[in-house]
């Protein structure tokens, strides 16, 4: 389902253009770098460490092999991966059988934030990916420590309508 999204696709940003494409296992090192480049993720244990590579490799394969999931990367003009997000289609009974497009793990390289890359990617999710997949609703969660991200999502038209909860298994 999600792998059928029409990618690659070039999107304009304030600094030029990015190319969105489906992630592959060859993107693993770049994705690990983006996860660890984020202070909230780093505090939760996301590291760009070779000892963690097998865990990330397994997770990446699992996500991209599942038709209801995908990881999309944004590459700069030189082809360097500078951003990513994960998409998951969730069918449901609530809201008269609405299908949700869940957005997770939105990351932009720290030295490129606030330049329009995240906005271009999220607008693509809202305006292109959601309609192409038949989603009725785009939803996401954001760590309570991410005040800047919350302002960003509100500016894009999202509403902070719910309170999210997490339970750490085994902890």
């Amino acid at each position: 389902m999600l792998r059928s999204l029409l990618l690659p696709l070039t999107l304009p940003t304030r600094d030029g253009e990015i190319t969105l494409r489906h992630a592959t296992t060859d993107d693993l090192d770049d994705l690990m770098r983006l996860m660890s480049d984020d202070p909230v993720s780093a505090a939760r244990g996301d590291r760009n460490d070779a000892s963690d590579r097998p865990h990330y490799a397994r997770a990446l394969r699992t996500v991209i092999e599942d038709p209801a999931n995908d990881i999309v990367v944004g590459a700069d003009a030189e082809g360097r991966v500078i951003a990513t997000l994960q998409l998951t289609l969730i069918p449901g009974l609530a809201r008269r059988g609405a299908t949700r497009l869940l957005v997770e793990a939105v990351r932009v390289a720290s030295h490129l934030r606030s330049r329009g890359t995240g906005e271009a990617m999220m607008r693509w999710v809202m305006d292109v990916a959601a309609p192409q997949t038949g989603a009725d609703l785009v939803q996401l969660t954001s760590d309570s420590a991410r005040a800047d991200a919350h302002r960003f999502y509100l500016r894009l038209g999202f509403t902070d309508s719910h309170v999210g909860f997490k339970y750490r298994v085994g902890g």
Side-chain angles (χ1 to χ4, degrees):
M1 289 180 276
L2 287 172
R3 295 299 269 188
S4 66
L5 287 170
L6 302 176
L7 295 175
L9 174 74
T10 302
L11 299 174
T13 70
R14 287 191 292 280
D15 279 353
E17 295 179 336
I18 60 166
T19 299
L20 290 189
R21 62 174 175 75
H22 300 285
T24 70
T25 55
D26 292 338
D27 295 313
L28 179 61
D29 292 327
D30 292 324
L31 292 168
M32 287 176 59
R33 178 183 43 77
L34 284 168
M35 293 299 122
S36 67
D37 186 36
D38 175 74
V40 174
S41 291
R44 292 188 299 230
D46 282 315
R47 307 172 304 172
N48 190 8
D49 186 278
S51 67
D52 289 333
R53 199 169 198 282
H55 302 287
Y56 288 105
R58 178 187 44 77
L60 178 59
R61 278 192 313 275
T62 299
V63 171
I64 64 179
E65 290 173 1
D66 182 339
N69 286 278
D70 199 12
I71 295 178
V72 175
V73 296
D76 66 12
E78 287 77 40
R80 292 179 299 239
V81 173
I82 60 166
T84 188
L85 55 79
Q86 180 175 335
L87 299 174
T88 301
L89 267 178
I90 306 171
L93 291 175
R95 296 182 183 236
R96 299 177 53 220
T99 297
R100 290 164 168 76
L101 183 58
L102 177 67
V103 183
E104 281 290 317
V106 178
R107 301 290 189 275
V108 175
S110 59
H111 68 285
L112 297 172
R113 291 184 190 137
S114 298
R115 296 183 179 179
T117 299
E119 181 174 350
M121 291 176 69
M122 288 303 299
R123 291 205 183 277
W124 170 79
V125 168
M126 297 157 54
D127 298 340
V128 178
Q132 280 184 11
T133 60
D136 302 290
L137 186 70
V138 176
Q139 69 181 35
L140 55 87
T141 61
S142 179
D143 192 286
S144 59
R146 298 183 186 278
D148 291 341
H150 302 166
R151 285 189 294 276
F152 168 72
Y153 294 124
L154 289 168
R155 186 172 52 79
L156 290 178
F158 285 82
T159 57
D160 53 353
S161 61
H162 289 67
V163 174
F165 297 89
K166 296 194 188 283
Y167 175 79
R168 184 167 171 88
V169 178

mmCIF file of all heavy atoms in Angstrom, residues 84-128:
data_model
loop_
_atom_site.group_PDB
_atom_site.id
_atom_site.type_symbol
_atom_site.label_atom_id
_atom_site.label_comp_id
_atom_site.label_asym_id
_atom_site.label_seq_id
_atom_site.Cartn_x
_atom_site.Cartn_y
_atom_site.Cartn_z
ATOM 1 N N THR A 84 13.840 12.357 7.328
ATOM 2 C CA THR A 84 13.094 11.108 7.242
ATOM 3 C C THR A 84 11.785 11.224 8.006
ATOM 4 O O THR A 84 11.621 12.110 8.853
ATOM 5 C CB THR A 84 13.916 9.921 7.788
ATOM 6 O OG1 THR A 84 13.222 8.703 7.521
ATOM 7 C CG2 THR A 84 14.170 10.057 9.279
ATOM 8 N N LEU A 85 10.885 10.333 7.700
ATOM 9 C CA LEU A 85 9.669 10.137 8.487
ATOM 10 C C LEU A 85 9.150 8.743 8.210
ATOM 11 O O LEU A 85 9.457 8.140 7.184
ATOM 12 C CB LEU A 85 8.601 11.203 8.198
ATOM 13 C CG LEU A 85 8.112 11.441 6.773
ATOM 14 C CD1 LEU A 85 7.106 10.405 6.320
ATOM 15 C CD2 LEU A 85 7.479 12.813 6.707
ATOM 16 N N GLN A 86 8.395 8.223 9.166
ATOM 17 C CA GLN A 86 7.789 6.900 9.024
ATOM 18 C C GLN A 86 6.287 7.063 8.891
ATOM 19 O O GLN A 86 5.677 7.892 9.581
ATOM 20 C CB GLN A 86 8.103 6.029 10.239
ATOM 21 C CG GLN A 86 7.495 4.637 10.124
ATOM 22 C CD GLN A 86 7.902 3.720 11.252
ATOM 23 O OE1 GLN A 86 8.949 3.905 11.877
ATOM 24 N NE2 GLN A 86 7.082 2.719 11.516
ATOM 25 N N LEU A 87 5.694 6.291 8.000
ATOM 26 C CA LEU A 87 4.250 6.312 7.778
ATOM 27 C C LEU A 87 3.670 4.926 8.078
ATOM 28 O O LEU A 87 4.263 3.909 7.725
ATOM 29 C CB LEU A 87 3.931 6.674 6.325
ATOM 30 C CG LEU A 87 4.409 8.040 5.843
ATOM 31 C CD1 LEU A 87 4.149 8.176 4.351
ATOM 32 C CD2 LEU A 87 3.731 9.144 6.625
ATOM 33 N N THR A 88 2.507 4.921 8.715
ATOM 34 C CA THR A 88 1.792 3.684 8.990
ATOM 35 C C THR A 88 0.313 3.902 8.716
ATOM 36 O O THR A 88 -0.283 4.849 9.238
ATOM 37 C CB THR A 88 1.970 3.245 10.459
ATOM 38 O OG1 THR A 88 3.356 3.061 10.719
ATOM 39 C CG2 THR A 88 1.223 1.951 10.744
ATOM 40 N N LEU A 89 -0.284 3.054 7.893
ATOM 41 C CA LEU A 89 -1.724 3.094 7.647
ATOM 42 C C LEU A 89 -2.421 2.245 8.695
ATOM 43 O O LEU A 89 -2.060 1.085 8.904
ATOM 44 C CB LEU A 89 -2.050 2.528 6.261
ATOM 45 C CG LEU A 89 -2.133 3.512 5.120
ATOM 46 C CD1 LEU A 89 -2.421 2.772 3.819
ATOM 47 C CD2 LEU A 89 -3.141 4.593 5.351
ATOM 48 N N ILE A 90 -3.425 2.836 9.336
ATOM 49 C CA ILE A 90 -4.154 2.140 10.390
ATOM 50 C C ILE A 90 -5.640 2.145 10.054
ATOM 51 O O ILE A 90 -6.302 3.185 10.162
ATOM 52 C CB ILE A 90 -3.947 2.815 11.760
ATOM 53 C CG1 ILE A 90 -2.459 2.961 12.078
ATOM 54 C CG2 ILE A 90 -4.673 2.029 12.856
ATOM 55 C CD1 ILE A 90 -2.179 3.817 13.301
ATOM 56 N N PRO A 91 -6.179 0.996 9.631
ATOM 57 C CA PRO A 91 -7.627 0.932 9.436
ATOM 58 C C PRO A 91 -8.303 0.873 10.802
ATOM 59 O O PRO A 91 -7.699 0.399 11.772
ATOM 60 C CB PRO A 91 -7.824 -0.374 8.664
ATOM 61 C CG PRO A 91 -6.638 -1.210 9.018
ATOM 62 C CD PRO A 91 -5.511 -0.257 9.331
ATOM 63 N N GLY A 92 -9.518 1.367 10.879
ATOM 64 C CA GLY A 92 -10.190 1.342 12.168
ATOM 65 C C GLY A 92 -11.693 1.394 12.059
ATOM 66 O O GLY A 92 -12.255 1.649 10.991
ATOM 67 N N LEU A 93 -12.346 1.160 13.173
ATOM 68 C CA LEU A 93 -13.799 1.243 13.246
ATOM 69 C C LEU A 93 -14.266 2.630 13.664
ATOM 70 O O LEU A 93 -15.340 3.077 13.260
ATOM 71 C CB LEU A 93 -14.340 0.201 14.233
ATOM 72 C CG LEU A 93 -14.201 -1.249 13.786
ATOM 73 C CD1 LEU A 93 -14.662 -2.180 14.897
ATOM 74 C CD2 LEU A 93 -15.008 -1.500 12.527
ATOM 75 N N ALA A 94 -13.492 3.301 14.504
ATOM 76 C CA ALA A 94 -13.884 4.621 14.996
ATOM 77 C C ALA A 94 -14.009 5.610 13.835
ATOM 78 O O ALA A 94 -13.412 5.426 12.768
ATOM 79 C CB ALA A 94 -12.863 5.130 16.011
ATOM 80 N N ARG A 95 -14.787 6.641 14.067
ATOM 81 C CA ARG A 95 -15.029 7.680 13.049
ATOM 82 C C ARG A 95 -15.601 7.072 11.776
ATOM 83 O O ARG A 95 -15.147 7.367 10.673
ATOM 84 C CB ARG A 95 -13.773 8.485 12.771
ATOM 85 C CG ARG A 95 -13.281 9.268 13.965
ATOM 86 C CD ARG A 95 -12.051 10.073 13.599
ATOM 87 N NE ARG A 95 -11.533 10.761 14.770
ATOM 88 C CZ ARG A 95 -11.345 12.064 14.841
ATOM 89 N NH1 ARG A 95 -11.616 12.831 13.813
ATOM 90 N NH2 ARG A 95 -10.873 12.601 15.940
ATOM 91 N N ARG A 96 -16.563 6.171 11.964
ATOM 92 C CA ARG A 96 -17.262 5.532 10.848
ATOM 93 C C ARG A 96 -16.325 4.754 9.933
ATOM 94 O O ARG A 96 -16.443 4.779 8.723
ATOM 95 C CB ARG A 96 -18.064 6.567 10.066
ATOM 96 C CG ARG A 96 -19.124 7.251 10.922
ATOM 97 C CD ARG A 96 -19.893 8.338 10.222
ATOM 98 N NE ARG A 96 -20.457 7.857 8.969
ATOM 99 C CZ ARG A 96 -20.477 8.585 7.856
ATOM 100 N NH1 ARG A 96 -19.988 9.794 7.850
ATOM 101 N NH2 ARG A 96 -21.003 8.095 6.761
ATOM 102 N N GLY A 97 -15.359 4.071 10.534
ATOM 103 C CA GLY A 97 -14.448 3.235 9.754
ATOM 104 C C GLY A 97 -13.303 3.991 9.112
ATOM 105 O O GLY A 97 -12.769 3.562 8.092
ATOM 106 N N ALA A 98 -12.906 5.092 9.720
ATOM 107 C CA ALA A 98 -11.844 5.931 9.148
ATOM 108 C C ALA A 98 -10.498 5.204 9.148
ATOM 109 O O ALA A 98 -10.176 4.448 10.057
ATOM 110 C CB ALA A 98 -11.726 7.231 9.933
ATOM 111 N N THR A 99 -9.725 5.475 8.111
ATOM 112 C CA THR A 99 -8.345 5.013 8.036
ATOM 113 C C THR A 99 -7.438 6.178 8.400
ATOM 114 O O THR A 99 -7.597 7.286 7.880
ATOM 115 C CB THR A 99 -8.008 4.512 6.616
ATOM 116 O OG1 THR A 99 -8.840 3.384 6.323
ATOM 117 C CG2 THR A 99 -6.551 4.114 6.492
ATOM 118 N N ARG A 100 -6.495 5.906 9.294
ATOM 119 C CA ARG A 100 -5.557 6.929 9.730
ATOM 120 C C ARG A 100 -4.213 6.708 9.054
ATOM 121 O O ARG A 100 -3.781 5.566 8.884
ATOM 122 C CB ARG A 100 -5.364 6.860 11.242
ATOM 123 C CG ARG A 100 -6.555 7.297 12.029
ATOM 124 C CD ARG A 100 -6.422 6.829 13.481
ATOM 125 N NE ARG A 100 -7.397 7.440 14.351
ATOM 126 C CZ ARG A 100 -8.673 7.115 14.429
ATOM 127 N NH1 ARG A 100 -9.142 6.165 13.643
ATOM 128 N NH2 ARG A 100 -9.494 7.732 15.248
ATOM 129 N N LEU A 101 -3.547 7.804 8.732
ATOM 130 C CA LEU A 101 -2.164 7.755 8.297
ATOM 131 C C LEU A 101 -1.349 8.327 9.452
ATOM 132 O O LEU A 101 -1.423 9.524 9.742
ATOM 133 C CB LEU A 101 -1.948 8.551 7.012
ATOM 134 C CG LEU A 101 -0.527 8.512 6.433
ATOM 135 C CD1 LEU A 101 -0.074 7.082 6.140
ATOM 136 C CD2 LEU A 101 -0.452 9.355 5.166
ATOM 137 N N LEU A 102 -0.634 7.448 10.145
ATOM 138 C CA LEU A 102 0.170 7.842 11.290
ATOM 139 C C LEU A 102 1.554 8.262 10.818
ATOM 140 O O LEU A 102 2.187 7.556 10.029
ATOM 141 C CB LEU A 102 0.291 6.667 12.272
ATOM 142 C CG LEU A 102 1.153 6.886 13.504
ATOM 143 C CD1 LEU A 102 0.522 7.919 14.426
ATOM 144 C CD2 LEU A 102 1.366 5.564 14.230
ATOM 145 N N VAL A 103 2.006 9.400 11.307
ATOM 146 C CA VAL A 103 3.344 9.916 10.987
ATOM 147 C C VAL A 103 4.181 9.806 12.258
ATOM 148 O O VAL A 103 3.768 10.278 13.314
ATOM 149 C CB VAL A 103 3.290 11.378 10.519
ATOM 150 C CG1 VAL A 103 4.675 11.862 10.115
ATOM 151 C CG2 VAL A 103 2.288 11.556 9.381
ATOM 152 N N GLU A 104 5.329 9.188 12.139
ATOM 153 C CA GLU A 104 6.218 9.001 13.286
ATOM 154 C C GLU A 104 7.643 9.323 12.882
ATOM 155 O O GLU A 104 7.980 9.327 11.694
ATOM 156 C CB GLU A 104 6.171 7.537 13.761
ATOM 157 C CG GLU A 104 4.975 7.190 14.602
ATOM 158 C CD GLU A 104 5.014 7.826 15.976
ATOM 159 O OE1 GLU A 104 6.085 7.842 16.624
ATOM 160 O OE2 GLU A 104 3.974 8.316 16.417
ATOM 161 N N ALA A 105 8.481 9.538 13.886
ATOM 162 C CA ALA A 105 9.932 9.673 13.711
ATOM 163 C C ALA A 105 10.293 10.689 12.626
ATOM 164 O O ALA A 105 11.122 10.427 11.768
ATOM 165 C CB ALA A 105 10.569 8.312 13.426
ATOM 166 N N VAL A 106 9.664 11.862 12.683
ATOM 167 C CA VAL A 106 10.006 12.938 11.749
ATOM 168 C C VAL A 106 11.340 13.519 12.199
ATOM 169 O O VAL A 106 11.473 13.977 13.329
ATOM 170 C CB VAL A 106 8.918 14.035 11.731
ATOM 171 C CG1 VAL A 106 9.309 15.162 10.789
ATOM 172 C CG2 VAL A 106 7.565 13.448 11.352
ATOM 173 N N ARG A 107 12.323 13.488 11.333
ATOM 174 C CA ARG A 107 13.649 14.001 11.676
ATOM 175 C C ARG A 107 14.225 14.777 10.499
ATOM 176 O O ARG A 107 14.140 14.331 9.353
ATOM 177 C CB ARG A 107 14.630 12.870 12.010
ATOM 178 C CG ARG A 107 14.224 11.974 13.155
ATOM 179 C CD ARG A 107 14.285 12.691 14.502
ATOM 180 N NE ARG A 107 14.108 11.776 15.604
ATOM 181 C CZ ARG A 107 12.930 11.391 16.077
ATOM 182 N NH1 ARG A 107 11.814 11.840 15.526
ATOM 183 N NH2 ARG A 107 12.852 10.556 17.095
ATOM 184 N N VAL A 108 14.817 15.908 10.809
ATOM 185 C CA VAL A 108 15.572 16.703 9.842
ATOM 186 C C VAL A 108 16.949 16.927 10.459
ATOM 187 O O VAL A 108 17.047 17.208 11.668
ATOM 188 C CB VAL A 108 14.884 18.060 9.546
ATOM 189 C CG1 VAL A 108 15.742 18.929 8.639
ATOM 190 C CG2 VAL A 108 13.505 17.835 8.924
ATOM 191 N N ALA A 109 17.995 16.803 9.668
ATOM 192 C CA ALA A 109 19.356 17.016 10.184
ATOM 193 C C ALA A 109 19.400 18.342 10.942
ATOM 194 O O ALA A 109 18.876 19.353 10.474
ATOM 195 C CB ALA A 109 20.357 17.012 9.034
ATOM 196 N N SER A 110 20.009 18.339 12.106
ATOM 197 C CA SER A 110 19.961 19.504 13.001
ATOM 198 C C SER A 110 20.467 20.777 12.342
ATOM 199 O O SER A 110 19.919 21.852 12.580
ATOM 200 C CB SER A 110 20.729 19.222 14.288
ATOM 201 O OG SER A 110 22.078 18.911 14.018
ATOM 202 N N HIS A 111 21.487 20.694 11.508
ATOM 203 C CA HIS A 111 22.031 21.903 10.886
ATOM 204 C C HIS A 111 21.137 22.435 9.755
ATOM 205 O O HIS A 111 21.400 23.512 9.228
ATOM 206 C CB HIS A 111 23.456 21.656 10.382
ATOM 207 C CG HIS A 111 23.551 20.705 9.234
ATOM 208 N ND1 HIS A 111 23.398 19.344 9.381
ATOM 209 C CD2 HIS A 111 23.772 20.928 7.923
ATOM 210 C CE1 HIS A 111 23.530 18.764 8.201
ATOM 211 N NE2 HIS A 111 23.756 19.705 7.298
ATOM 212 N N LEU A 112 20.059 21.726 9.435
ATOM 213 C CA LEU A 112 19.156 22.156 8.358
ATOM 214 C C LEU A 112 17.737 22.450 8.846
ATOM 215 O O LEU A 112 16.853 22.703 8.028
ATOM 216 C CB LEU A 112 19.109 21.082 7.268
ATOM 217 C CG LEU A 112 20.424 20.822 6.552
ATOM 218 C CD1 LEU A 112 20.312 19.617 5.642
ATOM 219 C CD2 LEU A 112 20.863 22.051 5.780
ATOM 220 N N ARG A 113 17.520 22.438 10.153
ATOM 221 C CA ARG A 113 16.170 22.679 10.672
ATOM 222 C C ARG A 113 15.772 24.133 10.468
ATOM 223 O O ARG A 113 16.613 25.019 10.369
ATOM 224 C CB ARG A 113 16.099 22.300 12.153
ATOM 225 C CG ARG A 113 16.219 20.807 12.327
ATOM 226 C CD ARG A 113 16.057 20.358 13.750
ATOM 227 N NE ARG A 113 16.432 18.946 13.823
ATOM 228 C CZ ARG A 113 17.165 18.419 14.771
ATOM 229 N NH1 ARG A 113 17.587 19.150 15.771
ATOM 230 N NH2 ARG A 113 17.470 17.145 14.736
ATOM 231 N N SER A 114 14.459 24.353 10.388
ATOM 232 C CA SER A 114 13.849 25.681 10.208
ATOM 233 C C SER A 114 14.164 26.277 8.842
ATOM 234 O O SER A 114 14.208 27.496 8.686
ATOM 235 C CB SER A 114 14.284 26.641 11.322
ATOM 236 O OG SER A 114 13.857 26.154 12.574
ATOM 237 N N ARG A 115 14.351 25.421 7.850
ATOM 238 C CA ARG A 115 14.611 25.882 6.483
ATOM 239 C C ARG A 115 13.578 25.374 5.490
ATOM 240 O O ARG A 115 13.775 25.481 4.288
ATOM 241 C CB ARG A 115 16.004 25.461 6.046
ATOM 242 C CG ARG A 115 17.101 26.110 6.872
ATOM 243 C CD ARG A 115 18.439 25.725 6.350
ATOM 244 N NE ARG A 115 19.499 26.358 7.119
ATOM 245 C CZ ARG A 115 20.773 26.164 6.874
ATOM 246 N NH1 ARG A 115 21.157 25.358 5.912
ATOM 247 N NH2 ARG A 115 21.675 26.767 7.610
ATOM 248 N N GLY A 116 12.501 24.760 5.998
ATOM 249 C CA GLY A 116 11.411 24.356 5.129
ATOM 250 C C GLY A 116 11.394 22.898 4.719
ATOM 251 O O GLY A 116 10.450 22.464 4.054
ATOM 252 N N THR A 117 12.388 22.123 5.106
ATOM 253 C CA THR A 117 12.414 20.709 4.726
ATOM 254 C C THR A 117 11.284 19.942 5.401
ATOM 255 O O THR A 117 10.530 19.211 4.743
ATOM 256 C CB THR A 117 13.778 20.082 5.085
ATOM 257 O OG1 THR A 117 14.794 20.773 4.362
ATOM 258 C CG2 THR A 117 13.812 18.605 4.742
ATOM 259 N N GLY A 118 11.154 20.094 6.710
ATOM 260 C CA GLY A 118 10.090 19.404 7.438
ATOM 261 C C GLY A 118 8.719 19.822 6.955
ATOM 262 O O GLY A 118 7.814 18.989 6.800
ATOM 263 N N GLU A 119 8.554 21.117 6.681
ATOM 264 C CA GLU A 119 7.264 21.594 6.184
ATOM 265 C C GLU A 119 6.935 20.996 4.823
ATOM 266 O O GLU A 119 5.809 20.552 4.590
ATOM 267 C CB GLU A 119 7.246 23.117 6.095
ATOM 268 C CG GLU A 119 5.920 23.642 5.599
ATOM 269 C CD GLU A 119 5.808 25.155 5.644
ATOM 270 O OE1 GLU A 119 6.677 25.827 6.220
ATOM 271 O OE2 GLU A 119 4.811 25.655 5.100
ATOM 272 N N ALA A 120 7.910 20.952 3.928
ATOM 273 C CA ALA A 120 7.673 20.363 2.601
ATOM 274 C C ALA A 120 7.268 18.900 2.729
ATOM 275 O O ALA A 120 6.335 18.440 2.061
ATOM 276 C CB ALA A 120 8.922 20.512 1.736
ATOM 277 N N MET A 121 7.950 18.180 3.597
ATOM 278 C CA MET A 121 7.637 16.761 3.765
ATOM 279 C C MET A 121 6.252 16.557 4.382
ATOM 280 O O MET A 121 5.483 15.714 3.927
ATOM 281 C CB MET A 121 8.715 16.090 4.625
ATOM 282 C CG MET A 121 10.049 15.990 3.909
ATOM 283 S SD MET A 121 11.375 15.297 4.931
ATOM 284 C CE MET A 121 10.829 13.595 5.083
ATOM 285 N N MET A 122 5.931 17.334 5.404
ATOM 286 C CA MET A 122 4.630 17.175 6.056
ATOM 287 C C MET A 122 3.484 17.610 5.138
ATOM 288 O O MET A 122 2.422 16.990 5.134
ATOM 289 C CB MET A 122 4.595 17.945 7.375
ATOM 290 C CG MET A 122 5.433 17.296 8.474
ATOM 291 S SD MET A 122 4.963 15.584 8.849
ATOM 292 C CE MET A 122 3.271 15.811 9.388
ATOM 293 N N ARG A 123 3.680 18.658 4.365
ATOM 294 C CA ARG A 123 2.635 19.054 3.407
ATOM 295 C C ARG A 123 2.433 17.965 2.360
ATOM 296 O O ARG A 123 1.314 17.697 1.934
ATOM 297 C CB ARG A 123 2.951 20.407 2.786
ATOM 298 C CG ARG A 123 2.829 21.530 3.800
ATOM 299 C CD ARG A 123 2.531 22.863 3.164
ATOM 300 N NE ARG A 123 2.501 23.908 4.160
ATOM 301 C CZ ARG A 123 1.445 24.206 4.927
ATOM 302 N NH1 ARG A 123 0.336 23.519 4.805
ATOM 303 N NH2 ARG A 123 1.507 25.182 5.811
ATOM 304 N N TRP A 124 3.504 17.305 1.954
ATOM 305 C CA TRP A 124 3.372 16.179 1.024
ATOM 306 C C TRP A 124 2.540 15.077 1.677
ATOM 307 O O TRP A 124 1.660 14.496 1.035
ATOM 308 C CB TRP A 124 4.751 15.657 0.618
ATOM 309 C CG TRP A 124 4.675 14.370 -0.139
ATOM 310 C CD1 TRP A 124 4.361 14.198 -1.460
ATOM 311 C CD2 TRP A 124 4.859 13.059 0.405
ATOM 312 N NE1 TRP A 124 4.349 12.856 -1.775
ATOM 313 C CE2 TRP A 124 4.650 12.136 -0.644
ATOM 314 C CE3 TRP A 124 5.184 12.575 1.668
ATOM 315 C CZ2 TRP A 124 4.759 10.769 -0.473
ATOM 316 C CZ3 TRP A 124 5.290 11.204 1.853
ATOM 317 C CH2 TRP A 124 5.083 10.315 0.783
ATOM 318 N N VAL A 125 2.809 14.770 2.949
ATOM 319 C CA VAL A 125 2.025 13.751 3.654
ATOM 320 C C VAL A 125 0.555 14.131 3.635
ATOM 321 O O VAL A 125 -0.310 13.311 3.301
ATOM 322 C CB VAL A 125 2.515 13.563 5.112
ATOM 323 C CG1 VAL A 125 1.527 12.730 5.926
ATOM 324 C CG2 VAL A 125 3.900 12.932 5.137
ATOM 325 N N MET A 126 0.255 15.385 4.002
ATOM 326 C CA MET A 126 -1.127 15.836 4.138
ATOM 327 C C MET A 126 -1.838 15.941 2.793
ATOM 328 O O MET A 126 -3.000 15.546 2.674
ATOM 329 C CB MET A 126 -1.134 17.201 4.844
ATOM 330 C CG MET A 126 -0.591 17.144 6.266
ATOM 331 S SD MET A 126 0.026 18.729 6.906
ATOM 332 C CE MET A 126 -1.365 19.809 6.663
ATOM 333 N N ASP A 127 -1.148 16.490 1.796
ATOM 334 C CA ASP A 127 -1.791 16.821 0.522
ATOM 335 C C ASP A 127 -1.692 15.726 -0.532
ATOM 336 O O ASP A 127 -2.499 15.687 -1.459
ATOM 337 C CB ASP A 127 -1.186 18.101 -0.058
ATOM 338 C CG ASP A 127 -1.385 19.311 0.843
ATOM 339 O OD1 ASP A 127 -2.282 19.275 1.705
ATOM 340 O OD2 ASP A 127 -0.617 20.286 0.701
ATOM 341 N N VAL A 128 -0.704 14.854 -0.420
ATOM 342 C CA VAL A 128 -0.474 13.840 -1.457
ATOM 343 C C VAL A 128 -0.595 12.422 -0.895
ATOM 344 O O VAL A 128 -1.411 11.630 -1.356
ATOM 345 C CB VAL A 128 0.902 14.047 -2.134
ATOM 346 C CG1 VAL A 128 1.157 12.973 -3.183
ATOM 347 C CG2 VAL A 128 0.998 15.444 -2.746
#
